[in-house]
Amino acid sequence: MNALFKALNDPTRRAILERLRNGPASAGAIAEQFQFSAPTISHHLDLLRQAELVTSQKQGQFVVYTLNMTVFDELMGWLIQFKS
Amino acid sequence: MNALFKALNDPTRRAILERLRNGPASAGAIAEQFQFSAPTISHHLDLLRQAELVTSQKQGQFVVYTLNMTVFDELMGWLIQFKS
DNA sequence: TCAATGTTTAGACAAATGTCTAAATAAATT
DNA sequence: AATTTATTTAGACATTTGTCTAAACATTGA
């Protein structure tokens, strides 16, 4: 839960998640959309992976990142506590 | 949205929110449940208020904090994007 | 009015965070 | 084999964050 909220507490990381709604993408393809350096984006992707918000698979020289929607359920569950 | 995720990115603040599920409470009553100093809890309450996750009303010498569930809807809305 | 109680403000400080550049690793191409 | 392309790792650095103590402010009660 800590890693989850930590990962979400950054606008760039949230934008990456929104980008991945359109489907999986390589680290480079993701990085292109932002003004930050590749290492910075790589680090953001690492935090998203630690929170299990994304998974990654190596495809040749590329590393493809995919949204993991499972974790959103967990968050939703936490939120629903407050609605009742 | 930034203030919201920032506010949620701390276990003490999340615990305060869970405490407030049981009903409104004064700053002092909240602080009693934690090992941190009163100023520290006051600061956490301030961040929760900035995120509009709580509201506060002065009642005599006490300041009573109340959960504002409206904001949870906003968060839920953001999450639901990812489920479809 | 003075003292006690409840809360916030101010300022300090260590730890965590987001960014960068340079270098390392890995795969594909020539 | 050497070079290019894709990505990560390492290390540095400024900023932000969470905590504290001391002091200020506000309300109540003696």
Side-chain angles (χ1 to χ4, degrees), chain A residues 5-16 36 44, chain B residues 2 5:
Chain A
F5 282 112
K6 174 177 172 173
L8 292 174
N9 184 31
D10 180 273
T12 302
R13 288 194 290 271
R14 293 196 299 273
I16 291 173
F36 301 116
H44 283 313
Chain B
N2 251 314
F5 282 110

Side-chain angles (χ1 to χ4, degrees), chain B residues 2-23:
Chain B
N2 251 314
L4 181 51
F5 282 110
K6 175 177 172 172
L8 293 174
N9 185 32
D10 180 273
T12 302
R13 288 194 290 271
R14 293 197 299 274
I16 290 172
L17 292 177
E18 284 164 10
R19 162 67 178 84
L20 292 177
R21 282 192 63 208
N22 303 336

